[in-house]
Amino acid sequence: MKFKTYTTFPEQTSNESLWILVDSEQLQSNLNTYQINNLKNILTATQFKANFNETLPLFGQLNIQPHSQVLGLGKAAELQAVKLAKLAQTIIKSTQNKFKHISIDIAALPVEYHYLFALSLTQAAYGYDEFKSKKNEFVLQQVDLISSQTSLDENQLALIHAVQSGQSFARDLGNRPGNICFPEYLAEQALALAAEFPDLLKVTVLDEQQMADLGMYAFLAVSKGSERPGRIVTLEYQTKLEQAPVVLVGKGVTFDTGGISLKPGLGMDEMKFDMCGAASVLGTIRALCEARLPIHVVGAIAAAENMPSGKATRPGDIVTTMSGQTVEILNTDAEGRLVLCDTLTYIKRFNPAVVIDIATLTGACVVALGKVLSGLFSPDDALATELQQAGEQSFDRVWRMPVIDDYQELLDSPFADIANIGGPHGGAITAACFLERFTRDYRWAHLDVAGTAWLSGAAKGATGRPVPLLMQFLANRVNTNG
């Protein structure tokens, strides 16, 4: 879906539908475009109040467009970002399967919300029907945004298009089932991305023998239970190699049964989403390639499948990590931190400026924050502030949680340097504290997206979060550092 911006209604257009956003306190568009038929009089005569998300079909009462609707904002001055998604969903639901080209008068929408509204439209327009015999008709191709004032310049539109592409890619990967999307498949997707952007990407794939040679026995403790071999994939985005890179590390457990510590059967199908951290890294790299931001970034994917078998790790087993620290595996369902800890050690070779890992790591984070906010853990105040700011700008929000030494003793083991779980309390925090032990040589933040990477119920599916957050974070660093 592409966007174009106009300061007045374009006289020559192939659009098929017009939406007019209206402030309930003004009951008119801020443009003079529709005064031919006096929009305010029409709204008054129909007793349209422009309450939030209230719609009024105009049925050809405007000369400009036969398929016209008014959409209420409520009081625009009191509008919050959370409502933009609902407005976008209303428009997309009414137009996506009917029209290729629509226009939206956003003059009544506060300028600071223009970017988020456009981004919300792309998210609402996503659909997934790859494995359906009868395909959905997603025909909407272009949206014209009309306002006499807007913050959406060419750079902002390019960023929106790139985020849309990367987020949709991440959602597609997350939605694919475990029999299609397994560790080698994620490696193939990275290689295909490098083939698509050969001037920008360099991809390296480690197999299990190479991991063993490097001493990555925490990672291998997870992958050895599966017939599908694990992979560590790095994608180096090479526009500014003289810079120390931002390294993004994604948990890519393509299906998580829990291993020997088997999960309950109810809802286990959703464990195909346990690779959404890796999907968000791939999606962010795709978005970077399309936006061509001048920044040095490395994406690293820790791809494994966690299965019970005769080769699977047992609770109580002790393994040595690449860092040399030993881990007592008390619960094989706490596997994400095991594949991540070796990957977080491996990426030190890139001499990173900062490292951000993204993982559907703990159910405890879902209990703490629900499905609204991602958990943010970092001992680095400045880095945490950068991520919080980017989350607010992209409406892909995070909430900072503690990762402090007070919790570290919960991970003590009588038999090894560290246990892989910390008991029944503060599970998201002790998981972050586990990872922190492997990240002390660089600036680091951890995003626990277990609650935000996918939705359940009628709207079940991957969200593609936190691709918008990560892209905003990277764009901000480009704008700050040049």
Side-chain angles (χ1 to χ4, degrees):
M1 188 169 72
K2 298 295 184 182
F3 290 97
K4 289 187 177 181
T5 57
Y6 296 90
T7 55
T8 60
F9 189 88
E11 294 183 3
Q12 302 296 324
T13 180
S14 61
N15 77 329
E16 301 162 293
S17 178
L18 168 67
W19 288 75
I20 306 168
L21 304 186
V22 174
D23 181 348
S24 64
E25 293 197 314
Q26 293 185 357
L27 282 184
Q28 62 182 4
S29 165
N30 292 338
L31 293 177
N32 294 322
T33 307
Y34 315 108
Q35 287 186 351
I36 298 172
N37 283 322
N38 200 332
L39 177 62
K40 188 171 183 178
N41 285 349
I42 294 173
L43 302 184
T44 302
T46 56
Q47 298 184 332
F48 182 75
K49 303 298 184 184
N51 295 322
F52 173 72
N53 217 23
E54 181 184 6
T55 59
L56 174 68
L58 295 176
F59 298 115
Q61 296 178 73
L62 298 182
N63 289 339
I64 291 174
Q65 182 55 252
H67 299 286
S68 303
Q69 291 201 62
V70 179
L71 179 60
L73 296 177
K75 294 181 181 180
E78 299 176 357
L79 194 64
Q80 296 179 348
V82 68
K83 293 184 176 181
L84 298 177
K86 294 182 179 179
L87 296 170
Q89 288 163 9
T90 296
I91 293 173
I92 294 299
K93 186 176 180 180
S94 298
T95 60
Q96 187 176 41
N97 298 331
K98 300 176 183 177
F99 307 116
K100 294 181 179 180
H101 184 180
I102 68 171
S103 296
I104 308 173
D105 173 355
I106 60 171
L109 187 68
V111 171
E112 63 267 25
Y113 287 136
H114 287 189
Y115 176 84
L116 287 180
F117 179 65
L119 194 59
S120 295
L121 288 168
T122 70
Q123 293 163 349
Y126 174 82
Y128 186 73
D129 59 4
E130 184 176 359
F131 296 100
K132 287 183 176 287
S133 56
K134 184 178 180 180
K135 305 298 183 184
N136 296 316
E137 294 183 11
F138 302 122
V139 298
L140 183 58
Q141 298 174 1
Q142 182 172 323
V143 177
D144 295 340
L145 300 174
I146 310 167
S147 179
S148 55
Q149 286 187 311
T150 182
S151 60
L152 295 175
D153 56 21
E154 289 186 6
N155 291 332
Q156 287 286 79
L157 290 176
L159 185 60
I160 290 169
H161 291 145
V163 172
Q164 176 188 12
S165 179
Q167 190 171 12
S168 295
F169 183 44
R171 294 174 84 169
D172 286 347
L173 290 171
N175 286 330
R176 285 176 187 143
N179 63 317
I180 302 293
C181 184
F182 39 81
E184 306 103 307
Y185 180 85
L186 289 180
E188 290 167 3
Q189 293 298 301
L191 291 167
L193 200 57
E196 187 176 349
F197 299 99
D199 60 324
L200 296 176
L201 284 184
K202 176 185 177 182
V203 171
T204 302
V205 180
L206 296 185
D207 61 26
E208 289 192 338
Q209 183 57 57
Q210 291 169 304
M211 290 184 230
D213 293 342
L214 290 167
M216 295 183 172
Y217 293 108
F219 186 110
L220 294 171
V222 178
S223 66
K224 72 178 185 178
S226 173
E227 294 294 322
R228 296 286 189 185
R231 295 286 186 267
I232 289 180
V233 185
T234 59
L235 305 91
E236 187 169 15
Y237 174 76
Q238 307 178 95
T239 55
K240 280 211 167 183
L241 287 174
E242 70 277 9
Q243 292 181 345
V246 174
V247 179
L248 307 176
V249 179
K251 173 188 172 184
V253 176
T254 56
F255 196 84
D256 181 19
T257 66
I260 297 299
S261 305
L262 194 67
K263 291 179 179 292
L266 183 64
M268 195 192 286
D269 63 290
E270 295 189 5
M271 288 302 96
K272 70 176 185 177
F273 296 120
D274 210 18
M275 42 64 68
C276 282
S280 72
V281 171
L282 282 166
T284 301
I285 296 296
R286 169 172 278 284
L288 276 173
C289 290
E290 299 205 8
R292 303 184 81 89
L293 293 183
I295 188 171
H296 188 193
V297 177
V298 174
I301 294 168
E305 187 178 56
N306 189 23
M307 298 287 282
S309 75
K311 298 179 181 179
T313 294
R314 296 161 291 267
D317 284 0
I318 295 175
V319 296
T320 302
T321 66
M322 184 181 178
S323 70
Q325 298 176 77
T326 57
V327 178
E328 182 184 16
I329 301 172
L330 297 178
N331 188 322
T332 64
D333 194 22
E335 85 298 329
R337 65 203 72 183
L338 298 176
V339 299
L340 286 172
C341 71
D342 278 340
T343 309
L344 289 167
T345 301
Y346 176 74
I347 55 88
K348 285 198 296 184
R349 65 191 57 211
F350 292 102
N351 298 314
V354 297
V355 176
I356 303 166
D357 77 73
I358 309 99
T360 51
L361 203 63
T362 65
C365 197
V366 187
V367 173
L369 299 176
K371 292 288 197 177
V372 177
L373 303 170
S374 300
L376 165 62
F377 301 80
S378 180
D380 188 316
D381 291 339
L383 178 56
T385 298
E386 278 189 76
L387 287 163
Q388 287 173 311
Q389 182 181 43
E392 293 298 326
Q393 291 172 296
S394 60
F395 200 59
D396 188 359
R397 297 167 297 168
V398 297
W399 191 264
R400 192 175 183 186
M401 304 276 279
V403 53
I404 55 178
D405 287 344
D406 307 55
Y407 292 91
Q408 287 286 359
E409 65 182 24
L410 296 174
L411 293 166
D412 287 347
S413 163
F415 305 112
D417 296 331
I418 184 173
N420 79 321
I421 57 172
H425 306 298
I429 298 168
T430 54
C433 286
F434 180 96
L435 296 178
E436 191 270 340
R437 295 199 186 197
F438 300 86
T439 62
R440 292 173 179 171
D441 292 334
Y442 47 72
R443 299 179 67 196
W444 162 79
H446 160 59
L447 296 177
D448 192 330
V449 295
T452 57
W454 81 91
L455 299 175
S456 302
K460 182 162 68 173
T463 64
R465 294 176 66 181
V467 171
L469 161 66
L470 295 172
M471 278 298 290
Q472 189 67 55
F473 171 81
L474 296 171
N476 289 349
R477 289 181 73 86
V478 169
N479 293 334
T480 301
N481 301 324

